[in-house]
């Protein structure tokens, strides 16, 4: 008996020419529009926020200046300068090559594109149909927090890409029964700890997942190449932890370690230091970000909270639930991959201290959920209806997202419109906001007080020398306090500064600076 002919739209077939032009053309337009928008963000650097200008950019600049990814000014009392700096090391390379502070935002667009590339490959675990895999790419591209991370230099997109890449490699190793992929996944997991301390949580779960993969496929021995990758990742990542251990007696400085670890480190003769480190990141309010506060229009800032996952996420969760109910129809390897990805993703969110309350910490999660078109197709590859419904759903979400957040509706001014305006007017980036500092080769002191816009004090050629002024009792600033104003004034006078910038008039020491150095002091209170 002849087999019934499957519909051309099914995931088991390539599309005929006319359908391919419509399908690939429309989905590709969505992806290319969004890639173009993030590239605009990267060259315009739409605006500065706190994290990027407080320490990410200054760290990258100093790494570039000293050609050393582990460099830290041992006199710097601003504790955030002591964090792992894997992302800043990459951006420092851009700065060293371009000698332009605006290049600090190039990595956001780069990693956004890398997310989309891995999404296409990841979807291939469940289907070989290119038109279905491309739907997952488009869905990943409209994740609000992923796009928002390209507006300024934040490191969350970097660490989450490594987590996403590691999860993909582990799943690929499970499906193809190739242990080398599991070892590559371990390498990516280790590298995540070079970007943020949260990488220790990510890495622990992913390494355990890698062991599960090895046991499942009954293969453990890495090749020489994969072993080299893991060793190289370990050596690169360990540099920041060894530096902090040597200089501060605490590999996780400035975070305070639980007892009895401080006592043990002190007994070993190490100069242990650590402070209770508050979480200052804006947090989402339940039931956000599972359900966006605004269903359509989002404020695309790097630390976006309630709308971070957007409309695509609750829809994706709903379809993922349908996939779970239909997972018994998947081929064995694809079913195993589905439950493996789901279990590891849930485990990562469960072990992170803030779970989903700080969405940018877990932006890999909506990228995993965006794989549902491929997963759904795997439950019935011969069904053209599933393909058609997936296409209609993804295109509807994408068109709404682009219309509201890229093109703009009503009087709402989008980030993309702002970037175009900056480029049309040929205005300088907002990173450098003081014309008086543009001549360069200046010694500039700044009063910290709280996290401040330190990077705004650089000139475009990065020749200015920035010196932190500490009086006493600053948040996240653990330098030795001065006991009286006279000693503080004498210290500042000895620095022979060209200018002093006070970012916070309420900060201790501001009155003394205004009284004794009014002729060279600039007040820039952005709080």
């Amino acid at each position: 008996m002849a087999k019934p002919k499957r519909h051309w739209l099914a995931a088991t077939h390539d599309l005929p020419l006319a359908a391919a032009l419509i399908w690939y053309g429309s989905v590709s337009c969505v992806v290319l529009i969004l890639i173009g928008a993030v590239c605009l963000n990267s060259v315009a650097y739409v605006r500065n926020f706190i994290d990027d200008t407080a320490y990410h950019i200054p760290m990258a600049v100093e790494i570039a200046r000293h050609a050393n990814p582990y460099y830290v000014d041992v006199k710097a009392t601003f504790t955030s300068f002591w964090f792992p700096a894997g992302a800043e090391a990459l951006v420092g390379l851009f700065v060293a090559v371009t000698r332009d502070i605006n290049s600090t935002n190039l990595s956001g667009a780069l990693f956004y594109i890398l997310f989309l590339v891995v999404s296409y490959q990841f979807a291939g675990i469940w289907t070989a149909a290119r038109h279905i895999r491309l739907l997952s790419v488009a869905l990943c591209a409209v994740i609000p927090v992923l796009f928002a991370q390209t507006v300024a230099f934040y490191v969350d997109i970097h660490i989450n890409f490594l987590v996403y890449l590691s999860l993909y490699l582990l799943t690929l190793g499970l499906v193809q029964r190739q242990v080398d992929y599991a070892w590559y996944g371990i390498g990516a997991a280790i590298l995540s700890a070079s970007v943020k301390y949260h990488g220790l949580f990510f890495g622990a779960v992913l390494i355990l997942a890698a062991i599960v993969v090895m046991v499942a496929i009954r293969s453990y021995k890495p090749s020489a190449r994969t072993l080299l990758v893991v060793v190289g990742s370990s050596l690169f990542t360990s540099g920041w932890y060894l530096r902090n251990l040597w200089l501060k007696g605490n590999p996780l400085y400035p975070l305070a370690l639980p007892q009895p670890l401080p006592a043990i480190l002190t007994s070993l003769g190490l100069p242990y230091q650590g402070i209770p480190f508050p979480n200052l990141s804006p947090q989402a309010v339940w039931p956000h970000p599972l359900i966006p506060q605004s269903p359509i229009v989002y404020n695309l800032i790097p630390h976006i909270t309630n709308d971070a996952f957007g409309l695509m996420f609750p829809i994706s969760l709903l379809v993922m639930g349908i996939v779970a109910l239909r997972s018994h129809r998947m081929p064995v390897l694809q079913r195993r991959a589905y439950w493996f990805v789901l279990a590891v993703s849930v485990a990562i969110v469960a072990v992170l201290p803030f779970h989903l309350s700080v969405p940018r910490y877990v932006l890999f999660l909506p990228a995993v959920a965006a794989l549902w078109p491929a997963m759904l197709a795997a439950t019935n590859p011969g069904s053209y209806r599933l393909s058609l419904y997936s296409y209609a759903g993804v295109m509807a979400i994408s068109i709404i997202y682009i219309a509201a957040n890229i093109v703009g509706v009503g009087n709402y001014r989008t980030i993309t419109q702002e970037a175009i305006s900056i480029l049309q007017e040929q205005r300088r980036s907002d990173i450098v906001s003081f014309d008086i500092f543009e001549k360069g080769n200046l010694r500039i002191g700044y009063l910290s007080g709280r996290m401040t816009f330190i990077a705004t004090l650089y000139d475009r050629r990065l020749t200015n020398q920035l010196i932190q002024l500490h009086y006493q009792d600053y948040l996240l600033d653990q330098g030795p306090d001065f006991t009286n104003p006279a000693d503080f004034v004498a210290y500042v006078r000895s620095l022979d500064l060209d200018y002093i910038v006070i970012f916070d008039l309420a900060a201790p020491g501001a009155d003394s600076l205004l009284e004794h150095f009014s002729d060279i002091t600039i007040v820039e209170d952005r709080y």
Side-chain angles (χ1 to χ4, degrees), residues 390-411:
S390 297
Y391 172 80
V394 171
M395 288 305 298
I397 294 171
S398 302
I399 291 171
I400 291 171
Y401 177 88
I402 290 174
N405 300 284
I406 305 299
V407 177
V409 291
N411 295 324

Side-chain angles (χ1 to χ4, degrees), residues 38-46 52 56-58 60-62 64-65 87-111 149-154 158 428-432 455 458-462:
V38 301
C39 289
L40 281 175
N41 293 342
S42 72
V43 296
Y45 210 110
V46 179
D52 59 338
H56 292 314
I57 294 175
V61 169
E62 295 306 318
R65 280 177 166 171
E88 289 84 354
L90 172 64
V91 172
L93 180 62
F94 296 158
V95 171
V97 172
T98 64
R99 304 305 301 173
D100 189 334
I101 198 170
N102 279 4
S103 64
T104 53
N105 207 36
L106 294 176
S107 67
L110 173 62
F111 277 78
Q149 286 275 305
T150 69
V151 172
F153 174 32
Y154 273 51
H158 303 77
R428 188 174 61 244
S429 163
D430 282 343
I431 300 174
V432 181
Y458 287 112
D459 58 298
R460 288 288 292 273
R461 293 172 289 116
L462 309 174

Side-chain angles (χ1 to χ4, degrees), residues 190-213:
I190 292 171
L191 281 177
S192 69
S194 75
V195 181
K196 297 182 74 169
Y197 286 138
H198 290 144
L200 297 172
F201 294 99
F202 290 134
V205 174
L206 290 167
I207 290 173
L208 287 175
I211 294 173
V212 171
V213 170

Side-chain angles (χ1 to χ4, degrees), residues 376-391:
L376 185 62
T379 64
N380 189 353
S383 172
Y384 75 91
R385 288 187 177 87
L386 290 182
S387 299
L388 188 59
Y389 294 158
S390 297
Y391 172 80

Side-chain angles (χ1 to χ4, degrees), residues 55-56 59 63 69-70 79-89 155 159 191-200 236-241 243-244 251-255:
Y55 58 96
H56 292 314
M59 288 168 71
I63 286 171
Y70 309 110
T79 54
S80 295
F81 287 160
W82 293 82
F83 287 149
E88 289 84 354
V155 301
I159 188 172
L191 281 177
S192 69
S194 75
V195 181
K196 297 182 74 169
Y197 286 138
H198 290 144
L200 297 172
F236 178 74
T237 300
S238 64
W240 289 279
Y241 296 84
R243 178 200 68 186
N244 291 355
L252 302 185
Y253 181 80
L255 306 184

Side-chain angles (χ1 to χ4, degrees), residues 470-485:
H470 179 104
Y471 181 57
Q472 59 183 214
D473 299 331
Y474 297 152
L475 181 65
L476 306 183
D477 188 343
Q478 298 300 302
D481 292 343
F482 286 90
T483 57
N484 62 75

